Amino acid sequence: MNDQAQELRNLIRHRANSAEKPTRILAVTSGKGGVGKSNFTLNFALTLQKKGFKVLVFDADIGLANIDVLMGISPKYNLYHLLKKEKTIWDIIHKGYNDLQFIAGGSGFNDLIRLSEEQLDYFQEQIGQLNGHADFIIFDTGAGLSKETLKFIVAAQETIVVTTPEPTSITDAYAIIKMVNSMDYDIRFRLVVNRVTDWREGRQTAEKISMVAKQFLNLDIPTIGYVLDDAAVSKAVKKQVPFTVAFPSSGASKSIYDLTDDFIANQRPADMSSGAVKGFLNRMIKLLK
Ligand SMILES: Nc1ncnc2c1ncn2[C@@H]1O[C@H](COP(=O)(O)OP(=O)(O)OP(=O)(O)O)[C@@H](O)[C@H]1O
Ligand SMILES: [Mg+2]
């Protein structure tokens, strides 16, 4: 093989390797609190990871540690240390069960709204490094529409709304969808119905929300799936071990596996835009300024 051809081949190989893998950013939220967002986020992330995807979970619940408590870990560094420029993005990524990567928000969120120009630049540059680092970045947000949660929802552009079949949870889920939608951001919503007694109840709950959203907001809201109400979840929470790890053959775990399989099968490559982290950051920075 002549040198030139080899050089060209090396160049192409190098380009192929350095091409950024698209990162998909999801925010998980709910209208009502305590519907199972954090448990869903954690176990969905672990299952996606088991299927070969690289996942990073970002605990974006202001003040309340969720993900780390569910794993019985107290992370040494969080977003606060990044914003204070004491740590890099890589220092604040911790490893949980099955080496799941996660970032704790900690008290950092309170500082996020009053950053200096210099801090904002550092934040942007550091978070920007995550592009291509993971296939999925999943934000677990607080319930209801706080100012901070709204920023993550808007910046992520794809939101999983978790509800239970309880009427109050359904109306609150619809209320948050309606509110975000009225702000005219181009957000894609998907539903997860948690704590169902059977599939029928899950389907009926999802239909209630999607029909009203179609009729009054002209929105199509697909459902990702349903998770069974299962005593294994609360047992796992008490053990501080994710339920898919503590009770892998429980009903709740099986629901998560099915739901994840469907999610992977139904995701079209068009859903994955490269430079997602950059887009996320641009929207976030705009909202912070
Ligand atoms: N599928 C399930 N089956 C049975 N119980 C569940 C299920 N999902 C959640 N729970 C119960 O609900 C509790 C709250 O779950 P979780 O902390 O995930 O909710 P959350 O929506 O993140 O709450 P918050 O709004 O406070 O952040 C769990 O500790 C567990 O007891
Ligand atoms: Mg939570």
Side-chain angles (χ1 to χ4, degrees):
M1 194 193 310
N2 69 42
D3 282 356
Q4 238 176 346
Q6 182 61 48
E7 216 170 285
L8 192 64
R9 217 156 280 177
N10 288 343
L11 188 71
I12 291 168
R13 201 168 297 148
H14 175 72
R15 284 255 169 88
N17 288 340
S18 65
E20 274 177 353
K21 264 207 283 167
T23 299
R24 187 163 167 189
I25 302 176
L26 308 166
V28 178
T29 195
S30 68
K32 195 169 178 256
V35 296
K37 290 178 297 297
S38 301
N39 274 282
F40 167 76
T41 304
L42 178 59
N43 290 285
F44 177 55
L46 283 165
T47 309
L48 273 173
Q49 184 171 274
K50 232 184 190 161
K51 300 279 171 186
F53 293 96
K54 214 168 165 193
V55 188
L56 174 81
V57 172
F58 203 128
D59 193 340
D61 196 347
I62 324 295
L64 286 170
N66 278 278
I67 299 295
D68 43 349
V69 174
L70 291 179
M71 291 197 280
I73 295 165
S74 23
K76 212 164 159 196
Y77 305 114
N78 57 44
L79 189 65
Y80 172 85
H81 301 96
L82 181 85
L83 297 177
K84 291 284 160 203
K85 294 177 76 171
E86 287 169 18
K87 294 288 161 196
T88 68
I89 186 75
W90 309 112
D91 296 328
I92 66 163
I93 296 178
H94 291 79
K95 294 271 176 80
Y97 279 90
N98 300 339
D99 279 341
L100 179 75
Q101 305 183 92
F102 77 98
I103 294 179
S107 55
F109 286 111
N110 304 325
D111 296 282
L112 204 53
I113 20 187
R114 29 169 197 270
L115 293 183
S116 67
E117 200 64 31
E118 191 198 350
Q119 281 174 313
L120 207 54
D121 285 348
Y122 183 71
F123 171 73
Q124 190 168 11
E125 185 261 315
Q126 291 289 309
I127 302 276
Q129 291 187 34
L130 291 177
N131 200 33
H133 170 71
D135 300 302
F136 292 95
I137 298 179
I138 310 179
F139 288 96
D140 176 26
T141 74
L145 205 55
S146 69
K147 261 193 268 163
E148 290 79 8
T149 295
L150 181 66
K151 285 189 186 103
F152 283 98
I153 292 176
V154 170
Q157 284 202 311
E158 198 172 341
T159 296
I160 297 176
V161 179
V162 181
T163 184
T164 69
E166 285 179 0
T168 45
S169 173
I170 296 175
T171 49
D172 288 3
Y174 177 70
I176 200 166
I177 291 168
K178 190 177 165 192
M179 229 189 296
V180 175
N181 188 59
S182 72
M183 292 170 188
D184 233 10
Y185 298 113
D186 189 18
I187 313 286
R188 187 139 29 123
F189 298 98
R190 287 161 202 272
L191 286 176
V192 167
V193 187
N194 189 27
R195 309 196 68 164
V196 302
T197 40
D198 52 35
W199 302 136
R200 236 183 75 204
E201 189 183 38
R203 207 184 53 233
Q204 282 170 351
T205 304
E207 273 172 4
K208 276 180 197 155
I209 298 174
S210 61
M211 274 166 62
V212 179
K214 185 72 197 164
Q215 190 177 345
F216 295 104
L217 310 174
N218 197 25
L219 271 184
D220 287 310
I221 306 191
T223 302
I224 300 179
Y226 319 118
V227 184
L228 285 175
D229 187 65
D230 188 338
V233 176
S234 137
K235 272 190 214 153
V237 170
K238 284 179 197 145
K239 281 164 76 118
Q240 293 190 287
V241 181
F243 65 80
T244 48
V245 175
F247 305 103
S249 44
S250 64
S253 295
K254 284 183 185 150
S255 327
I256 293 279
Y257 309 148
D258 288 349
L259 176 156
T260 308
D261 282 343
D262 278 359
F263 179 78
I264 294 167
N266 293 329
Q267 93 175 0
R268 287 163 291 121
D271 282 341
M272 315 267 273
S273 57
S274 59
V277 174
K278 213 168 154 204
F280 170 83
L281 272 168
N282 289 340
R283 288 184 289 276
M284 191 77 175
I285 301 294
K286 245 187 246 159
L287 291 163
L288 289 173
K289 276 186 172 163

